[in-house]
């Protein structure tokens, strides 16, 4: 089974076991990601319904593409500009296309559930620190107003007549 997926503004034809290089996706090597923007799916010569269909993939590595040199020149104007660019890429291995990958998001959901209590613990101290930061801002505002001086009026230039 194959699918056409859109990620990073580009479209890719993928099947289980394929390796593709796409624009950077957040994650580390070994993480599983789900590509939900499926445009077309098929098996052999027949087209299948893509409603609710996702493609699961494993991140192999975060890398960068080849350097592209951008050189601009205007003849006889002494104008030359040289610039380089390297695109950040993510190498993906397609694990499954279609229904088989529904088990993969469950694996991702379990670590998120474990991380949720830690996030709540971090949020509580942040709430306590927030009022302390707000109080100095209120005190600083009157000082700024006291330091302001009215603008001096400039004398009109004298005309020589």
């Amino acid at each position: 089974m194959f699918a056409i997926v859109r990620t990073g503004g580009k479209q890719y034809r993928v099947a289980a076991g394929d390796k593709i290089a796409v624009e950077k996706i957040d994650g580390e090597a070994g993480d599983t990601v789900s590509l939900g923007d499926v445009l077309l799916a098929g098996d052999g010569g027949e087209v299948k319904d893509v409603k609710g269909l996702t493609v699961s993939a494993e991140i192999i590595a975060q890398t960068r593409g080849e350097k592209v040199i951008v050189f601009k020149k205007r003849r006889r104007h002494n104008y030359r500009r040289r610039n380089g660019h390297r695109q950040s890429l993510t190498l993906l291995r397609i694990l499954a296309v279609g229904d088989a990958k529904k088990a993969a998001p469950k694996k991702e959901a379990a670590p998120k559930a474990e991380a949720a209590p830690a996030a709540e613990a971090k949020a509580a101290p942040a709430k306590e620190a927030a009022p302390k930061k707000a109080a100095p801002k209120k005190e600083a505002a009157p000082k700024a107003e006291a330091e302001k001086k009215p603008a001096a009026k400039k004398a009109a230039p004298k005309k020589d007549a």
Side-chain angles (χ1 to χ4, degrees):
M1 182 170 187
F2 73 92
I4 308 286
V5 296
R6 178 172 41 207
T7 179
K10 298 179 182 78
Q11 299 173 9
Y12 302 90
R13 182 187 189 276
V14 296
D18 287 353
K19 293 179 184 178
I20 58 172
V22 299
E23 290 203 21
K24 185 167 174 55
I25 297 175
D26 291 336
E28 296 179 11
D31 291 350
T32 303
V33 295
S34 178
L35 305 174
D37 195 2
V38 179
L39 305 174
L40 179 82
D43 194 6
E46 67 181 67
V47 176
K48 296 196 174 193
D49 185 26
V50 296
K51 183 182 269 186
L53 190 69
T54 59
V55 174
S56 65
E58 176 187 6
I59 296 176
I60 298 171
Q62 300 285 2
T63 185
R64 298 184 77 190
E66 292 185 19
K67 181 173 250 189
V68 177
I69 302 296
V70 179
F71 186 76
K72 299 178 182 180
K73 180 179 179 178
R74 293 188 185 154
R75 297 189 317 161
R76 298 182 296 273
H77 289 279
N78 195 24
Y79 175 86
R80 288 185 298 272
R81 300 291 183 266
R82 183 179 181 270
N83 198 359
H85 173 76
R86 287 186 72 186
Q87 185 67 39
S88 297
L89 300 173
T90 301
L91 298 177
L92 296 177
R93 178 183 298 121
I94 306 301
L95 299 176
V97 177
D99 299 331
K101 77 240 163 265
K102 289 185 181 177
K106 291 179 184 176
K107 292 178 186 176
E108 290 181 30
K112 290 179 184 175
E114 293 171 3
E120 291 173 7
K122 290 180 183 177
K127 289 180 184 176
E128 295 171 5
K132 293 178 185 176
K133 291 181 181 178
K137 289 181 182 177
K138 290 179 183 176
E139 294 173 11
K143 291 179 185 176
E145 291 174 10
E147 293 175 6
K148 289 184 181 178
K149 296 179 183 177
K153 293 184 179 181
K154 293 182 181 179
K158 296 180 181 178
K159 296 182 180 180
D160 295 331

